[in-house]
Amino acid sequence: MAQSGPGAAAPRDEAAEEPEGGGRRWGAQHAGARELAELYSPGKRLQEWISVILCFSLICFNFYNLLLYLRLEHTPSVLVGIFAGVITADFLSGLFHWGADTWGSVELPIVGKAFIRPFREHHIDPTAITRHDFIETNGDNCFMTLVPLANMAYKFVSFSPEALCATCPWECYVFALIIFITMTNQIHKWSHTYFGLPRWVIFLQDWHIILPRKHHRIHHVSPHETYFCITTGWLNYPLEKIRFWRCLENIIQGLTGEKPRADDMKWAQKIK
């Protein structure tokens, strides 16, 4: 979304990718972006609300129980577990982001409109995410963490205290992984937000503790084929150096004959 005023250059640059051959700037007025935005349904909104409520209820329950079973001698393994959880979340964010960006179609039953549609919209209107509220931004990520959160809650109500104390460092790893997966799209939204961010968010971005804004711009250069990790972005450079995503794409294209990002390009080229 274009913004007026002296400070608008950065977000305007980020959303200014053009279809092949020139033409209009991409954004909220792009024909494909308008059509994709209209596919956001009341049923999808209800699913997001339910997911957010259940997710944060389970997070609170599990966090309380984790604190009950933490011991001082767990400290080194818990710190390692938290770090490993962040790294794992960053990799999984890249894997899911790459998969939804590169393969599939909005026309697929169930998952197309529910999960692939936002990725198609985001590439032709990158700042649309900044206009989404908390529920729309985080509903899908909350949905994805419900099963592991419920499994953790089940352990807390059914396992013995001795077993829970022994597995506490592992559960801290799982909990950190869940928290960062849950927050990934919020972090992603912040990486597209250039005005009004809290100072603590800017601090985390500037120190690359979470995904920085300048770092994420690299992904938004068409054809959007690199830097897919959007939790911290720590793994983007090493994965790019070993051509991880390109190798996966070559394998899948060789096996299936499907061309990477074909559906993404189809929506980008819509003119009416």
Side-chain angles (χ1 to χ4, degrees):
M1 179 175 64
Q3 301 184 33
S4 58
R12 192 161 52 234
D13 287 343
E14 182 179 8
E17 300 159 14
E18 299 181 357
E20 293 179 5
R24 294 190 303 265
R25 292 181 183 275
W26 295 5
Q29 299 309 310
H30 185 284
R34 294 199 305 270
E35 184 176 343
L36 288 163
E38 290 169 359
L39 294 176
Y40 184 66
S41 67
K44 175 64 176 172
R45 180 71 172 181
L46 177 61
Q47 172 254 307
E48 291 170 344
W49 262 106
I50 294 171
S51 298
V52 169
I53 292 170
L54 289 176
C55 175
F56 281 92
S57 298
L58 287 167
I59 284 174
C60 292
F61 176 82
N62 290 332
F63 182 63
Y64 170 77
N65 280 280
L66 273 177
L67 292 179
L68 290 180
Y69 293 101
L70 276 176
R71 300 292 183 267
L72 186 62
E73 60 266 24
H74 291 150
T75 301
S77 54
V78 166
L79 292 176
V80 171
I82 291 172
F83 180 75
V86 176
I87 292 290
T88 308
D90 197 41
F91 176 75
L92 291 178
S93 77
L95 188 64
F96 187 82
H97 186 188
W98 166 79
D101 271 8
T102 309
W103 311 106
S105 165
V106 176
E107 284 74 36
L108 285 173
I110 303 176
V111 298
K113 291 181 181 179
F115 298 106
I116 294 178
R117 176 198 64 83
F119 289 86
R120 301 293 178 267
E121 179 187 15
H122 184 58
H123 282 171
I124 50 183
D125 185 9
T127 57
I129 192 173
T130 66
R131 303 189 294 274
H132 296 168
D133 64 7
F134 185 86
I135 301 299
E136 185 174 357
T137 300
N138 299 291
D140 287 341
N141 287 58
C142 288
F143 176 78
M144 288 189 292
T145 61
L146 288 180
V147 171
L149 280 169
N151 180 60
M152 185 180 291
Y154 170 77
K155 292 178 182 178
F156 283 127
V157 298
S158 61
F159 284 20
S160 68
E162 293 77 16
L164 290 170
C165 187
T167 61
C168 192
W170 168 257
E171 298 300 340
C172 286
Y173 160 74
V174 174
F175 190 73
L177 171 59
I178 290 170
I179 291 297
F180 276 87
I181 288 176
T182 301
M183 292 302 297
T184 286
N185 218 32
Q186 184 64 51
I187 293 169
H188 181 206
K189 177 179 179 177
W190 287 332
S191 75
H192 285 276
T193 304
Y194 284 80
F195 302 98
L197 282 176
R199 289 186 178 181
W200 64 271
V201 172
I202 296 173
F203 173 84
L204 294 176
Q205 289 177 333
D206 288 346
W207 285 89
H208 206 154
I209 298 170
I210 62 175
L211 184 70
R213 289 170 287 187
K214 289 183 179 179
H215 181 93
H216 187 51
R217 284 184 203 168
I218 298 170
H219 174 72
H220 279 275
V221 176
S222 186
H224 312 96
E225 61 184 5
T226 187
Y227 275 45
F228 292 100
C229 299
I230 54 173
T231 303
T232 63
W234 296 346
L235 295 180
N236 280 323
Y237 181 75
L239 290 175
E240 183 63 19
K241 289 298 289 184
I242 65 173
R243 298 172 57 85
F244 180 79
W245 308 114
R246 193 67 54 84
C247 289
L248 284 184
E249 289 169 13
N250 289 340
I251 292 170
I252 293 173
Q253 187 172 9
L255 292 173
T256 67
E258 293 293 322
K259 185 178 180 182
R261 287 169 288 280
D263 188 65
D264 195 49
M265 187 57 67
K266 181 191 78 173
W267 284 97
Q269 293 175 339
K270 275 185 175 284
I271 59 174
K272 63 179 180 178

